[in-house]
């Protein structure tokens, strides 16, 4: 398991500081990133949290997945590595 988690179904009001506080209950939090929409500069409803160890990640998933935060049920899972290439498609 990697140390990076995907957190989905976030309320648009939740910021990095609040997420850091919530995930700190489960272990060491190394970083929190809440991506913003490039056009509106508003949060996109998900985040990435990097934990200190595999054990901290497993604890966060079991403890926080499904927990209510600001009226939304969090979805916490291991973050998948991004693929090397972008989209594609096309053909001819």
């Amino acid at each position: 398991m990697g140390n990076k988690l995907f957190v989905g179904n976030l309320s648009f009001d939740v910021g990095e500081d609040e997420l850091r506080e919530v995930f700190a209950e489960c272990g060491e939090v190394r970083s929190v990133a809440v991506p913003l929409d490039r056009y509106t500069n508003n949060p996109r409803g998900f985040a990435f949290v990097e934990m200190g160890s595999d054990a901290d990640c497993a604890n966060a998933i079991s403890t926080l997945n499904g927990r209510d935060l600001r009226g939304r049920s969090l979805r916490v899972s291991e973050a998948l590595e991004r693929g090397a290439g972008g989209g594609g498609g096309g053909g001819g």
Side-chain angles (χ1 to χ4, degrees):
M1 173 181 270
N3 291 353
K4 200 167 200 178
L5 299 172
F6 173 81
V7 185
N9 201 36
L10 281 179
S11 166
F12 297 114
D13 302 340
V14 175
E16 291 180 4
D17 291 338
E18 185 173 4
L19 277 178
R20 182 177 298 278
E21 199 174 294
V22 169
F23 277 80
E25 298 171 16
C26 301
E28 176 193 357
V29 177
R30 289 190 180 161
S31 67
V32 176
V34 178
L36 301 177
D37 181 273
R38 73 177 72 171
Y39 300 109
T40 65
N41 211 32
N42 292 325
R44 296 177 62 193
F46 64 90
F48 295 98
V49 177
E50 185 179 4
M51 301 296 288
S53 69
D54 287 350
D56 292 344
C57 280
N59 187 25
I61 290 170
S62 65
T63 302
L64 300 175
N65 189 45
R67 180 191 276 190
D68 184 272
L69 181 63
R70 292 194 180 220
R72 310 278 310 251
S73 181
L74 294 179
R75 286 192 218 130
V76 182
S77 61
E78 184 177 0
L80 302 176
E81 289 297 319
R82 261 187 137 162

